[in-house]
Amino acid sequence: MTTDPYPGTDLIPAPLLQEVRGDSPGRFELDERTTLDAGPGTGSTARWLRTVLGAATGLPFADGPGPHAIRLRVSEDVERAHGPEGYRLTTEDPDAAVVIEGGGPAGVFWGAQSLRQLLGPEAYRRAPVSGGARDLPYVTVEDRPRFGWRGLMLDVSRHFMPKDDVLRYLDLLAAHKLNVFHFHLTDDQGWRIEIKRHPRLTEVGSWRARSKWGHRASPLWDDTPHGGHYTQDDIREIVAYAAERHITVVPEIDLPGHSQAAIAAYPELGNTDVVDTAALTVWDTWGVNPNVLAPTEAVLRFYEGVFEEVLDLFPAATSPFVHVGGDECPKDQWKASPAAQARIKELGLADEDELQSWFIRHFDRWLTARGRRLIGWDEILEGGLADGAAVSSWRGYGGGVAAAEAGHDVVMCPEQHVYLDHRQAPGEDEPMPIGYVRTLEDVYRFEPVPPGLSPEAAAHILGTQANVWTEVMENRSRVDYQVFPRLAALAEVAWSALPAPEARDYPAFARRMHTHYARLDALGVDYRPPAGPHPRQQRPGVLGRPLEGTPPIV
C-alpha cells in the first residue's frame, strides 16, 4: 500500500495500490463534454454516478462513449487479479477521461466510490459550490477488499429510525465500501417490521409508553411515547436501495429471548403458566429481559409465519443470511415452567441450554430448506449448534474462535472493540457514556482474525462489522456522533490489506482523515469532532455506564 503523495488522493479505505503521475501531478477537469459510457452490468453504478455527481458538479453526464467519457466496464482480467469486488481506476487512458474496470458489478461500484473521493469533498454536496467538484488528478488505483463481510449492525428497535434515515445510512455505508447492513428489527422495546398475518406486532408491539433516559440505572425518564415501524413496502424499498449499492441486508428477528414486544402483542407466545403475560407491555427500559418465548409448537408455527413474510421481503439474492438473535435468553421462566420442563423431557434434552439450542436448530433447518443461512449471536453455540449456522461473535473473540475451529463461519464483532455505542473518550463531556473508551485509533488497530487461529479456522472468518445499539441514542444525530468517525476506521480494517495492529500507520490514517472530515461535513454527518463534542452533543447529568481500564481480550 503506497503512502498518499497528493492531498486530493486521500482515499479511505486505503487502496492496495495508488500511483500518481510525478511528484507534483497535474489535474484535469470534467466538463459539459463528459459522458457516461456504461458497459453491461454497470447500469446501477451509472445511475448512481449521474445522480450524485450530477448534483455536485451541475454536469448532465449524457450517455455515450468517447475521449471525454467516464467508462464503466466489468473486466475478466480484473476479476482474475482482484476478485468480483476488486477494481482498477485510471484517469490516464488516452481514449477516455476516466476508466473504471471492476471484477464484477460491485467492483465497478466501489471504483466509482473512489472516483467521488478523488473529486474532493465538494463531490459530496447536493448542489455545486465554488464551481463544482470537477477536478481530478492523474492517478491509477488498483484495489480489492480483504474481507467479503464488511458491515454495520443498526438497532432500530430501542430507538426507531425513520425510513429516510435508514436510506441515508445505506449511502454512508456505500461511501465507506461497506457491503453488509445488519438490520436489527425486533427486541423487547419495539417490533419494527409489518407482518400482515400478525398485525398486533406493530399495532401494539411497535409502541412503548415511555423510555428510560440514559442507562437503565438512571432515575430519568422520557415520558414521550416512542415507536414506529416499517411497512412492507418500506422494507422492499430499503432492500432495493441497498441492492443498487451492492449492500447485503441481514434482517434480525430475535428469538427466543428479547421478545417482550412480541409477547405484549400476543400474550400466548410467553410462558403463561408462570407469568401473567397479558399484563406485559412493550418494555420501557434497557437490559436483559426475563420474558422469553414459550417452547411450544404454537410458538414455532407463529414464527414460521413471521419468517415466511420476512423471506418474501428480503429475497435470497440480496439477503442470503437471516439473523435470529439467540443472545441473552434467561432460562429462569423455563426452569419454573411445568410446560417447559415437560417439553425438555419429551424432546430428550439435558437442560434449558439444549432447549434454546432446539429453538435455534429448528429454525436453522427451516431456513436451510428455503435456501437461506441462519446466523445468530455467539450464545447459539450453547447446547450445540446446527452444522450450517454462522455466528456473530460479540462477547469477545472466544465464541468466534470456538465456532471457527468447529467449522462454522464467523463474523467478528467483539463488543470490547467495535461496539460503537461505547464511549469515544474519557471525561464527563461524552454523552451518556457507555462501556470502555474506544478511540478512533483503537478501532483502527482492531484485528478481526485473532492471533493463533489455525489457517483452516481463519478461512471461516467471513469478516467484521461494527454494532450500534441505540438504547442511549434517541435520534439520528446521536447515532451519527457514536458511529462517526470510527466507522471510517472500521471500514479500513475490513477493506484494506493492513499490517499487524501494532505496525499500522495510524498517523498517516489520521492525516487522511482531515480530508475525510470535510467529506462528512459535506454529507451533514454529525460526527464527534477530534477535539471533543460540541456543547449541543453533550448530555450533562445523564447517567451512563462507563467501564474503566483497557478492555479485556476474551
Side-chain angles (χ1 to χ4, degrees):
M1 190 163 22
T2 59
T3 302
D4 173 26
Y6 189 76
T9 53
D10 288 333
L11 296 181
I12 289 179
L16 187 70
L17 173 68
Q18 180 175 298
E19 296 178 342
V20 295
R21 182 192 295 173
D23 295 329
S24 301
R27 300 179 72 81
F28 71 95
E29 185 175 300
L30 304 179
D31 57 27
E32 283 74 10
R33 297 171 298 172
T34 304
T35 58
L36 276 173
D37 177 10
T42 70
S44 63
T45 297
R47 286 190 294 274
W48 179 83
L49 277 171
R50 185 173 287 111
T51 298
V52 297
L53 296 189
T57 63
L59 298 175
F61 294 108
D63 289 321
H68 302 286
I70 298 173
R71 185 195 302 158
L72 308 176
R73 294 291 187 272
V74 173
S75 163
E76 291 183 0
D77 289 342
V78 173
E79 198 280 333
R80 281 192 292 269
H82 298 304
E85 289 194 281
Y87 67 90
R88 182 178 188 273
L89 181 156
T90 184
T91 59
E92 300 195 76
D93 190 289
D95 299 320
V98 181
V99 177
I100 300 173
E101 297 173 296
V108 176
F109 183 68
W110 305 133
Q113 292 289 347
S114 292
L115 172 63
R116 191 186 192 188
Q117 289 197 16
L118 292 171
L119 283 163
E122 290 181 359
Y124 291 80
R125 296 195 177 275
R126 298 182 187 178
V129 299
S130 304
R134 299 187 179 191
D135 287 349
L136 277 171
Y138 288 103
V139 63
T140 296
V141 179
E142 290 199 32
D143 206 4
R144 61 175 177 265
R146 178 185 179 192
F147 291 110
W149 186 301
R150 310 179 301 279
L152 177 78
M153 190 288 304
L154 182 62
D155 166 23
V156 296
S157 181
R158 275 46 178 269
H159 279 99
F160 179 65
M161 183 172 280
K163 180 196 70 177
D164 283 354
D165 290 342
V166 174
L167 299 178
R168 172 180 176 266
Y169 257 83
L170 290 171
D171 280 328
L172 291 172
L173 264 64
H176 293 81
K177 299 187 176 76
L178 296 170
N179 68 341
V180 176
F181 178 57
H182 177 167
F183 204 9
H184 184 82
L185 288 163
T186 75
D187 217 297
D188 300 299
Q189 295 86 359
W191 185 285
R192 304 295 179 213
I193 178 171
E194 178 187 22
I195 302 297
K196 291 186 180 295
R197 73 189 71 187
H198 302 307
R200 287 175 59 83
L201 286 171
T202 47
E203 291 170 358
V204 174
S206 70
W207 288 93
R208 60 178 183 263
R210 61 177 186 169
S211 303
K212 177 63 71 172
W213 184 237
H215 183 258
R216 60 182 175 272
S218 167
L220 303 176
W221 293 89
D222 179 349
D223 288 319
T224 304
H226 181 84
H229 73 275
Y230 309 103
T231 68
Q232 294 202 349
D233 282 344
D234 290 338
I235 294 291
R236 291 186 180 98
E237 181 182 355
I238 289 167
V239 171
Y241 197 85
E244 282 273 303
R245 287 147 183 81
H246 301 277
I247 294 172
T248 293
V249 183
V250 179
E252 181 176 352
I253 306 295
D254 259 309
L255 59 85
H258 287 290
S259 297
Q260 182 159 320
I263 296 169
Y266 292 94
E268 64 272 21
L269 297 175
N271 294 281
T272 56
D273 55 347
V274 293
V275 177
D276 180 10
T277 56
L280 295 176
T281 60
V282 178
W283 213 25
D284 56 13
T285 190
W286 324 123
V288 179
N289 188 291
N291 294 295
V292 303
L293 298 175
T296 67
E297 290 297 322
V299 168
L300 296 183
R301 300 294 88 74
F302 183 98
Y303 273 84
E304 287 171 0
V306 168
F307 281 118
E308 283 178 4
E309 295 192 28
V310 167
L311 296 193
D312 180 61
L313 296 169
F314 296 89
T318 52
S319 298
F321 286 89
V322 175
H323 209 291
V324 300
D327 61 316
E328 297 180 328
C329 178
K331 311 300 191 296
D332 297 341
Q333 290 184 3
W334 289 348
K335 290 177 181 178
S337 164
Q341 291 302 308
R343 189 67 154 163
I344 290 173
K345 184 177 180 180
E346 172 193 345
L347 295 168
L349 304 176
D351 54 22
E352 291 77 20
D353 283 343
E354 288 196 4
L355 186 60
Q356 176 169 337
S357 177
W358 168 81
F359 256 107
I360 301 302
R361 287 175 181 271
H362 173 85
F363 285 102
D364 179 74
R365 291 191 299 270
W366 192 91
L367 289 166
T368 298
R370 289 156 181 81
R372 307 301 179 94
R373 290 190 64 188
L374 179 145
I375 186 169
W377 303 110
D378 54 55
E379 286 96 329
I380 68 173
L381 291 163
E382 298 165 3
L385 183 58
D387 290 341
V391 170
S392 302
S393 188
W394 76 273
R395 290 181 293 181
Y397 287 110
V401 169
E405 294 284 8
H408 295 282
D409 288 340
V410 174
V411 176
M412 281 293 186
C413 49
E415 66 168 327
Q416 302 88 352
H417 305 283
V418 291
Y419 268 36
L420 300 187
D421 48 311
H422 285 204
R423 59 194 174 130
Q424 302 183 62
E428 297 183 358
D429 289 343
E430 292 304 306
M432 303 187 198
I434 301 296
Y436 295 101
V437 171
R438 291 287 85 191
T439 65
L440 181 66
E441 182 173 358
D442 290 330
V443 175
Y444 190 67
R445 297 192 189 280
F446 166 64
E447 172 50 49
V449 180
L453 202 61
S454 70
E456 296 79 11
H460 284 287
I461 306 299
L462 299 176
T464 186
Q465 66 182 37
N467 293 339
V468 183
W469 301 103
T470 61
E471 288 93 337
V472 298
M473 297 180 223
E474 72 278 10
N475 55 36
R476 185 178 89 176
S477 289
R478 277 287 291 124
V479 174
D480 277 5
Y481 179 90
Q482 293 299 136
V483 170
F484 290 99
R486 292 181 295 179
L487 192 67
L490 186 280
E492 187 146 312
V493 167
W495 177 281
S496 302
L498 298 178
E502 63 277 6
R504 292 176 188 173
D505 190 351
Y506 177 74
F509 173 75
R511 285 194 297 273
R512 284 183 286 120
M513 280 299 298
H514 288 304
T515 301
H516 202 65
Y517 285 123
R519 296 178 190 127
L520 297 178
D521 286 332
L523 286 166
V525 176
D526 202 10
Y527 59 87
R528 182 190 187 277
H534 298 299
R536 62 177 170 75
Q537 293 173 321
Q538 299 170 20
R539 298 292 187 275
V542 181
L543 185 67
R545 184 177 173 265
L547 299 175
E548 303 300 336
T550 302
I553 305 297
V554 294

